[in-house]
Amino acid sequence: MSLSNSTKRQFLLAVQAMADSAVHFNSKFAISPINTEDDGTALLRLLDHLSILVEETGEYAKSLNKGKLNQAIYDLADVLYVTLVGLDLLGVDGTAMIRMVTMANDMKSLQTHEIGPSHKLVPKNTDITTKGSDVSL
């Protein structure tokens, strides 16, 4: 089933509105940016953020396990929101990684990837063997 252009446009607008809200969330609650020039401090802040993300992911899993579709969809959107809040706290580094991940996923194609048994996109097995070596890639 393919989504209509109108539905796709509404999705993009909703994601944009959520990203705007995530930025305002950090400002509204005076959550300080993560300084990525100090790895130790940045990693501690990201671990704190991870605990929130794990909690939200757990709520998503619980809704799925209970068969509550609408709640599961809500919780999945909440996972995205928490992720956007964290990426915004990273400032330029978060923005750069969003762009890198987007570019990496845009480069995937039916020639390079396939849907695996668990419905996850995986690289195609090309059976390439390194010349002059017993190591298979």
Side-chain angles (χ1 to χ4, degrees):
M1 178 175 101
S2 180
L3 299 176
S4 71
N5 285 337
S6 175
T7 301
K8 290 176 188 177
R9 196 168 30 260
Q10 290 303 313
F11 176 79
L12 293 172
L13 289 171
V15 171
Q16 176 64 55
M18 182 181 275
D20 289 342
S21 176
V23 170
H24 294 307
F25 180 91
N26 288 330
S27 296
K28 179 170 46 175
F29 292 102
I31 302 171
S32 60
I34 297 173
N35 178 2
T36 57
E37 292 178 12
D38 178 358
D39 284 5
T41 303
L43 289 169
L44 287 174
R45 291 282 308 279
L46 287 173
L47 281 171
D48 287 342
H49 187 263
L50 177 62
S51 67
I52 299 166
L53 195 54
V54 167
E55 177 187 337
E56 297 302 336
T57 304
E59 290 174 8
Y60 172 53
K62 185 187 288 186
S63 296
L64 286 174
N65 289 331
K66 289 183 175 182
K68 296 182 177 181
L69 179 60
N70 284 338
Q71 185 63 44
I73 296 168
Y74 177 91
D75 292 335
L76 180 58
D78 207 13
V79 169
L80 175 60
Y81 190 89
V82 171
T83 301
L84 290 171
V85 165
L87 286 164
D88 174 57
L89 289 174
L90 292 163
V92 173
D93 292 322
T95 302
M97 291 306 147
I98 289 170
R99 288 187 173 124
M100 285 179 65
V101 168
T102 300
M103 190 171 17
N105 281 291
D106 285 348
M107 290 174 43
K108 294 175 183 174
S109 71
L110 292 173
Q111 287 72 41
T112 62
H113 288 74
E114 61 191 353
I115 304 295
S118 66
H119 303 284
K120 182 180 186 313
L121 191 65
V122 295
K124 284 188 174 178
N125 183 0
T126 56
D127 292 327
I128 299 173
T129 304
T130 306
K131 196 171 194 169
S133 169
D134 291 340
V135 178
S136 295
L137 300 178

